[in-house]
Amino acid sequence: MKAKLFRAIAFLSVLIVFLTSSPSLTAFAATVYHALDPGWVEVYSENFDEGFGGWTPLGGQADTKLDSRYSKSGSYSFLVSNRPDTWAGPSLDVSDMLYAGKKYRFDAFVRQDSTEKNTVSLIIKYMIEGASDPTYDQIASTELKAEGWGRISGYYTVPDDASDYIIYFEHSDKSVSFAIDTVLISTNEASAVTTEAKEYQEISYGFEEGTENWHAYSDAHVERSSNFSHTGRYSLYTSERTSPMSVPAIKLSSLVTLGTSYEYSAFVMYNGRSFNDEHEFRLIISYMTGDTKQEKVLDAKTLQKSNWSKLTGEFILPDDASAVNLLITSGESEESDGYVAYYIDDILILDSTMKNQLKSSAVALRVLIIIGIVFFMAVMFIIMLKKINASNNLLADAVTDSMTRALNRNSYEMQIAHLENYPADCRKLWITVCDVNFLKLINDNYGHRKGDDAIIRCADVIISVIGRKGRVYRTGGDEFVCMTGSDVTEKLRQAISVEAQNYKGYPFSVAVGASSYHPDEDGSEPNIKIILERSDKEMYKDKDRIKKEMSGMM
């Protein structure tokens, strides 16, 4: 008990820290995703507990239903089946949720009715102004290797000239049914370039809105490009360079505070057949002190062609610095085609001094809050644990027969309803029917207390044989039904025979009959009622056999 309480308190402490440092989520989404990235807010979430939530099969050419068999959160997931093609998956019109030029994050969980390795992709379909055909972009994809839930997650920036957005899930095998659950769309509240006052100053450039005041430091052609990007749709491309200093630059004099520590980072990529497979790039701060030009190399790396790589460094500008520029440069000319052309994206300038101070203050405050909350939660946890134990006992009583400890008739009816709705679950199922013999004789001649004892003995024998390998239901006064994955008839008869030798003042005997799905007799799809009828017939055959054998003894 103490160990469990300690682990629970430790878990709650970590959870409290996490929650106090993160934006809030819808209750069901929080149980799965826990928290959003700092600065991000929830746009949309759905777990299908209240219905389909506007989701439909793309093209309307597949069957859908709310599936209670599996769910990642809540009670239902959205299942799509009988799909005519790989693209025929769950879809949602998000035209009223997304805005052009804004970056979003998409998260969801997917599950397939297959044990084969398959790929599920999240696609966005939209129209470009003036175009006659829609455009399709992949947001993210994930590989499913089994029947469990897999997470799909990705970022996407909506194009400036796009409209009529629809997102949908595509499965690589059109014959496979699959489900989605706990869909979440979130976005960063900040704009592409953030220079307003914040907890700490942050300036970012993603080039989704344009070149954003980036320019050529010396003779070069600088333009926004959609050919390649690190994130989003656009990056900044520098070409037609004539010197080592023909590089992209941004003036920082009006953006940063002198004497303050800043973190600088940028992603760089180059390609082209005429360029070497490796090339050095540098992140540089250029500035003037008086009449002297200064350069500070923040980072220098040898990059591989066609791969995005990050340059990063930290620097405090002197109080007398002027004409400050951030440069992203390459090495000297060494290729046949002149100076290397390259792409830059996701540049970030962060006030690290204030950020670190705020982090330290926030941590100290959280520690004080958490100390108080943990003690409070410890008391609440003990109270909650007692209530849970009481609730579990009530729940067990609701599905258990109080006399025999077997599952009761209500639980049995629920399981039969499930097997009627999902007949495939019957394919490897054995149904065994057991009935106490001579119960009327026992009640009339030895008393009802002995009759109850015979029923309890029957249940004890069955439960001891079945154990955790199946389920035992009391479906009537002296009748029991067992559901197992294999035939247990002989084991039950042997155990009943041993128990019968332990004479307790009355004859003890149990008839047993079992059956399973027979494709030759039952057809391509199992029917639980037919299997039950066959088991019942086998039980009555056994009952007649026992009566004939014991007719001369009684």
Side-chain angles (χ1 to χ4, degrees), residues 59-90:
Q61 301 181 41
D63 297 334
T64 60
K65 75 171 184 177
L66 298 179
D67 192 352
S68 61
R69 293 178 302 163
Y70 313 109
S71 65
K72 188 62 182 177
S73 64
S75 302
Y76 296 94
S77 60
F78 183 94
L79 178 71
V80 59
S81 57
N82 297 324
R83 302 163 51 241
D85 210 330
T86 57
W87 48 262

Side-chain angles (χ1 to χ4, degrees), residues 248-307:
I250 183 74
K251 295 178 180 179
L252 297 181
S253 298
S254 62
L255 300 179
V256 298
T257 303
L258 300 179
T260 299
S261 176
Y262 287 88
E263 294 176 8
Y264 302 84
S265 63
F267 285 87
V268 185
M269 191 273 285
Y270 77 102
N271 58 11
R273 294 183 179 178
S274 60
F275 301 131
N276 290 343
D277 292 337
E278 293 183 348
H279 201 89
E280 184 183 74
F281 285 85
R282 297 178 180 181
L283 186 64
I284 296 176
I285 291 285
S286 172
Y287 60 95
M288 298 291 294
T289 52
D291 296 329
T292 305
K293 183 178 180 180
Q294 309 280 355
E295 285 188 356
K296 172 63 177 180
V297 179
L298 305 181
D299 197 8
K301 290 181 180 176
T302 300
L303 308 187
Q304 301 293 319
K305 185 193 293 187
S306 301
N307 291 327

Side-chain angles (χ1 to χ4, degrees), residues 73-140:
S73 64
S75 302
Y76 296 94
S77 60
F78 183 94
L79 178 71
V80 59
S81 57
N82 297 324
R83 302 163 51 241
D85 210 330
T86 57
W87 48 262
S91 69
L92 179 68
D93 189 335
V94 292
S95 300
D96 295 332
M97 303 178 199
L98 310 186
Y99 294 91
K102 200 166 182 65
K103 184 177 180 180
Y104 295 88
R105 172 170 174 158
F106 298 78
D107 294 274
F109 282 85
V110 292
R111 181 189 181 103
Q112 63 176 1
D113 288 338
S114 172
T115 57
E116 300 296 323
K117 184 187 294 185
N118 289 296
T119 300
V120 174
S121 301
L122 177 59
I123 310 294
I124 185 167
K125 170 187 174 184
Y126 59 90
M127 296 298 299
I128 295 293
E129 184 177 355
S132 57
D133 296 320
T135 298
Y136 299 82
D137 288 339
Q138 178 175 294
I139 298 172

Side-chain angles (χ1 to χ4, degrees), residues 292-516:
T292 305
K293 183 178 180 180
Q294 309 280 355
E295 285 188 356
K296 172 63 177 180
V297 179
L298 305 181
D299 197 8
K301 290 181 180 176
T302 300
L303 308 187
Q304 301 293 319
K305 185 193 293 187
S306 301
N307 291 327
W308 285 97
S309 299
K310 185 178 183 180
L311 300 176
T312 184
E314 188 169 343
F315 184 59
I316 300 175
L317 282 163
D319 293 335
D320 58 346
S322 62
V324 182
N325 282 272
L326 177 65
L327 315 176
I328 302 172
T329 74
S330 69
E332 295 292 335
S333 174
E334 56 186 59
E335 289 85 10
S336 60
D337 200 28
Y339 292 93
V340 65
Y342 54 97
Y343 300 84
I344 63 171
D345 199 4
D346 291 335
I347 292 90
L348 180 65
I349 304 170
L350 194 62
D351 180 348
S352 55
T353 301
M354 189 175 296
K355 179 182 177 182
N356 291 335
Q357 290 174 351
L358 287 169
K359 276 187 177 180
S360 299
S361 300
V363 169
L365 179 61
R366 286 173 189 161
V367 168
L368 291 175
I369 293 172
I370 290 165
I371 289 173
I373 292 177
V374 166
F375 282 107
F376 172 76
M377 291 300 292
V379 175
M380 294 301 297
F381 179 76
I382 293 171
I383 297 171
M384 181 177 66
L385 191 61
K386 290 181 178 179
K387 289 184 177 181
I388 289 173
N389 288 336
S391 177
N392 288 340
N393 291 335
L394 289 173
L395 183 62
D397 291 342
V399 298
T400 304
D401 177 61
S402 59
M403 177 177 169
T404 63
R405 298 184 298 112
L407 296 170
N408 61 21
R409 179 78 188 193
N410 184 51
S411 180
Y412 170 75
E413 295 292 350
M414 292 172 61
Q415 182 64 11
I416 293 298
H418 170 80
L419 294 173
E420 288 178 338
N421 290 329
Y422 300 97
D425 291 352
C426 298
R427 291 185 181 277
K428 297 181 179 181
L429 189 66
W430 278 83
I431 302 294
T432 305
V433 178
C434 302
D435 189 273
V436 178
N437 292 319
F438 314 118
L439 185 63
K440 187 176 185 306
L441 182 147
I442 296 171
N443 286 332
D444 293 345
N445 293 279
Y446 302 96
H448 284 277
R449 186 171 295 178
K450 292 292 185 181
D452 290 347
D453 185 66
I455 294 171
I456 294 171
R457 287 174 71 188
C458 177
D460 288 344
V461 171
I462 297 171
I463 292 172
S464 67
V465 171
I466 302 301
R468 296 185 178 180
K469 295 178 289 187
R471 296 178 180 178
V472 180
Y473 302 88
R474 185 187 181 191
T475 57
D478 61 346
E479 186 172 288
F480 297 85
V481 173
C482 312
M483 297 185 185
T484 56
S486 61
D487 187 4
V488 294
T489 307
E490 290 306 316
K491 289 183 179 179
L492 283 171
R493 285 174 177 163
Q494 290 174 10
I496 292 166
S497 176
V498 171
E499 179 64 24
Q501 294 174 20
N502 182 18
Y503 185 71
K504 295 187 177 181
Y506 59 88
F508 178 74
S509 174
V510 178
V512 179
S515 184
S516 63

